[in-house]
Amino acid sequence: HKGHLTGSLPMKVTWTKDGKDIRAGGNYKMTFMDYTACLTILKVDKGDSGQYTCQAGNDVGKDSCSAPLTIKERKVPPTFTKKLSETIEDTEGKLLKLEGRVAGSLPLNVQWYRNDLEIQQTAR
């Protein structure tokens, strides 16, 4: 976030999120140079969403500006982290378990196919 200011120096600049003071350090970096106040969030996540306000003041008054910030969850496409074996052979009449492991953003939809036809789940 950035705010360009005018007014007489010295000037005190503060930042708040949802009405609570933000302190420099940790995940926040604040600068004020050439009449530009800047708040940098080093690594944003959904918890950083909220109403941000920059307030500037000097000995003759103060002003502020606000903006909402919404951080959206990063969606990750599905990828197989464990794939099925290339070829599988087993003896007739035995139980066979095929297993693949998938990573990605929820919800994930998984379908199984045999010879390009979707396998429907049965009661057994």
Side-chain angles (χ1 to χ4, degrees):
H1 296 298
K2 249 183 205 180
H4 188 75
L5 307 167
T6 59
S8 301
L9 297 175
M11 199 176 301
K12 182 181 179 191
V13 176
T14 58
W15 288 89
T16 60
K17 176 190 171 233
D18 298 327
K20 295 178 181 151
D21 286 344
I22 297 173
R23 304 247 180 259
N27 204 29
Y28 297 106
K29 180 182 171 189
M30 295 178 216
T31 58
F32 179 57
M33 267 177 13
D34 300 325
Y35 288 94
T36 301
C38 187
L39 172 67
T40 304
I41 304 172
L42 301 176
K43 190 174 180 183
V44 295
D45 64 27
K46 286 176 70 171
D48 292 311
S49 295
Q51 184 76 14
Y52 285 80
T53 302
C54 179
Q55 185 175 72
N58 61 15
D59 57 359
V60 292
K62 63 184 177 181
D63 196 10
S64 66
C65 62
S66 296
L69 173 66
T70 304
I71 304 298
K72 295 180 180 174
E73 182 182 349
R74 186 172 53 145
K75 298 288 185 179
V76 178
T79 54
F80 278 92
T81 57
K82 180 183 176 189
K83 296 185 178 191
L84 300 174
S85 301
E86 288 289 320
T87 58
I88 301 168
E89 285 186 24
D90 209 347
T91 308
E92 187 177 26
K94 291 173 74 180
L95 177 97
L96 176 67
K97 182 178 177 181
L98 300 176
E99 188 175 275
R101 192 164 292 142
V102 184
S105 294
L106 297 177
L108 288 170
N109 296 318
V110 177
Q111 289 95 24
W112 285 89
Y113 293 85
R114 179 177 177 253
N115 298 331
D116 295 327
L117 293 173
E118 186 176 349
I119 300 171
Q120 303 297 323
Q121 188 168 349
T122 61
R124 51 179 198 146

